[in-house]
């Protein structure tokens, strides 16, 4: 049995006349009559009472008509759903991110994407860079956001695009000796105790900070590492040490912490979106388009 056989049946059942049904289907009457008889033989049920004039459905035919209409309604719904899926309008996307992303673009991306694609289920996971990379390769994430160093992606299985770059700033305790300065020099921080982003959680950012300090003649005295931005700022507020962080940290108003720009020119810290090269999901495509639009 094929869908065309059901279409033939519905046409005859609605017209209750083989000639009119054949005309409606743009076919000759004899082949239509043969197809209906073949259908009845296949399901072993008489659908039409041919002794009556006009033609009438049997009780079984009436039930079959109701069910076949449901079949076509479901087929129609399946087609509409498939088209929506092809446009990235329905489905699920799992997104990894770090603190910097949460402090900056993430809320705006979330708002715009949800407005545009309300039927897409978004799942957000705050993960260390190394865990995001592994989750992408294990297909537990669809896209990740983190500070990316070129050395992190050695193989062609992942794609990435830099969505923004920002300078570093200094986060100081509110009673620090340099709080009254408009800017601070890295050279003035050479003897300070540093709270560094975790090498495991944010290796790209951690390495960038260490290399920057070395360019100015010192290796940072790392007294503590923090996995989350709020943790690092909490330690700074407690006087444990100072921190060099991406400029987006200033979006967090933490009591006891003063932010200062750095006098010297510092390399910018890139934030990248990373995804699998073989992922052709329309949802991912639309999500990346929204991300890039928000990053402009």
């Amino acid at each position: 049995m094929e869908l065309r056989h059901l279409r033939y049946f519905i046409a005859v059942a609605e017209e209750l006349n083989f000639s009119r049904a054949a005309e409606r289907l743009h076919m000759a009457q004899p082949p239509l009559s043969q197809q209906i008889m073949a259908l009845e033989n296949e399901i072993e049920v008489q659908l039409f009472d041919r002794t009556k004039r006009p033609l009438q459905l049997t009780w079984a035919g009436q039930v079959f008509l109701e069910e076949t209409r449901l079949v076509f309604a479901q087929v129609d719904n399946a087609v509409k759903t498939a088209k929506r899926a092809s446009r990235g309008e329905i489905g699920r996307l799992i997104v990894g991110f770090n603190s910097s992303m949460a402090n900056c673009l993430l809320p705006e991306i979330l708002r715009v994407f949800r407005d545009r694609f309300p039927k897409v289920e978004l799942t957000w996971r705050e993960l260390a860079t190394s865990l995001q990379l592994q989750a992408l390769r294990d297909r537990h994430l669809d896209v990740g956001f983190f500070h990316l160093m070129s050395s992190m992606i050695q193989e062609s299985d992942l794609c990435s695009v830099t969505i923004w770059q920002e300078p570093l700033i200094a986060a100081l305790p509110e009673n620090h000796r340099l709080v009254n300065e408009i800017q601070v020099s890295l050279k003035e921080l050479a003897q300070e105790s540093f709270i560094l982003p975790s090498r495991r959680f944010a290796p790209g950012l951690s390495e960038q900070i260490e290399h920057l300090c070395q360019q100015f003649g010192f290796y940072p005295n790392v007294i503590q590492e923090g996995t989350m931005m709020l943790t690092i700022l909490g330690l700074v507020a407690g006087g444990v040490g100072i921190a060099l962080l991406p400029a987006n940290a200033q979006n967090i108003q933490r009591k006891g912490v003063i932010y200062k720009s750095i006098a010297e020119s510092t390399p910018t810290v890139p934030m990248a979106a990373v995804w699998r090269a073989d992922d052709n999901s329309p949802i991912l495509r639309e999500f990346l388009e929204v991300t890039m639009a928000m990053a402009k």
Side-chain angles (χ1 to χ4, degrees):
M1 184 190 307
E2 300 177 12
L3 284 178
R4 63 187 177 90
H5 298 134
L6 300 182
R7 288 194 180 93
Y8 296 161
F9 165 73
I10 290 176
V12 176
E14 290 180 347
E15 298 293 340
L16 292 176
N17 183 286
F18 278 97
S19 296
R20 289 197 300 269
E23 183 178 349
R24 170 174 157 182
L25 293 167
H26 305 290
M27 62 186 299
Q29 179 181 336
L32 176 59
S33 298
Q34 293 169 8
Q35 292 287 350
I36 296 299
M37 291 181 64
L39 175 62
E40 289 176 317
N41 290 334
E42 181 177 353
I43 64 176
E44 299 180 347
V45 171
Q46 184 177 346
L47 300 173
F48 295 96
D49 185 348
R50 294 168 175 79
T51 65
K52 301 288 181 66
R53 291 290 181 270
L55 184 69
Q56 291 184 15
L57 283 165
T58 63
W59 172 245
Q62 294 176 37
V63 173
F64 193 66
L65 177 60
E66 293 177 5
E67 294 298 322
T68 52
R69 282 171 171 164
L70 291 177
V71 168
F72 280 102
Q74 189 166 355
V75 169
D76 184 59
N77 183 64
V79 171
K80 292 178 180 178
T81 301
K83 288 181 177 180
R84 294 184 66 190
S86 72
R87 296 191 295 266
E89 295 176 359
I90 57 173
R92 185 185 185 207
L93 195 72
I94 307 175
V95 184
F97 65 96
N98 63 7
S99 297
S100 286
M101 191 67 185
N103 294 336
C104 200
L105 273 182
L106 191 62
E108 187 67 8
I109 292 172
L110 175 60
R111 182 189 64 78
V112 172
F113 189 82
R114 283 197 180 283
D115 286 347
R116 196 171 299 176
F117 302 100
K119 297 298 183 180
V120 173
E121 178 188 352
L122 289 178
T123 300
W124 301 91
R125 294 179 180 169
E126 187 171 10
L127 295 171
T129 296
S130 59
L131 295 180
Q132 287 196 53
L133 285 168
Q134 188 60 49
L136 283 165
R137 291 186 165 113
D138 290 342
R139 300 183 181 275
H140 296 155
L141 279 186
D142 298 309
V143 60
F145 293 104
F146 47 85
H147 298 292
L148 180 67
M149 302 292 285
S150 59
S151 60
M152 289 181 187
I153 300 182
Q154 302 289 350
E155 303 173 20
S156 59
D157 62 332
L158 297 178
C159 296
S160 67
V161 60
T162 298
I163 56 177
W164 92 80
Q165 301 194 51
E166 57 185 336
L168 293 170
I169 59 168
L172 310 175
E174 62 181 0
N175 60 353
H176 194 275
R177 59 186 172 83
L178 299 175
V179 293
N180 293 322
E181 300 295 326
I182 297 176
Q183 294 180 316
V184 298
S185 169
L186 280 172
K187 295 178 180 178
E188 294 179 294
L189 302 178
Q191 303 304 316
E192 298 285 340
S193 296
F194 279 77
I195 304 164
L196 222 59
S198 167
R199 291 173 177 83
R200 177 176 173 274
F201 195 87
L205 179 57
S206 179
E207 290 175 14
Q208 188 104 345
I209 293 170
E210 289 179 343
H211 291 162
L212 177 63
C213 293
Q214 291 173 27
Q215 289 175 17
F216 286 88
F218 70 97
Y219 191 86
N221 174 30
V222 181
I223 195 170
Q224 181 72 44
E225 290 188 353
T227 56
M228 305 290 184
M229 193 82 76
L230 286 174
T231 302
I232 294 173
L233 293 175
L235 294 172
V236 171
V240 175
I242 69 164
L244 297 181
L245 297 171
N248 71 78
Q250 296 174 98
N251 293 334
I252 303 174
Q253 297 302 312
R254 179 63 168 84
K255 183 179 179 180
V257 176
I258 303 296
Y259 298 107
K260 296 290 180 182
S261 60
I262 298 173
E264 295 87 359
S265 175
T266 67
T268 55
V269 180
M271 174 63 67
V274 184
W275 66 95
R276 288 184 301 280
D278 64 354
D279 192 339
N280 59 1
S281 162
I283 300 175
L284 175 62
R285 180 191 66 226
E286 297 294 344
F287 183 80
L288 290 172
E289 286 186 8
V290 169
T291 297
M292 296 307 299
M294 295 297 98
K296 291 181 180 178

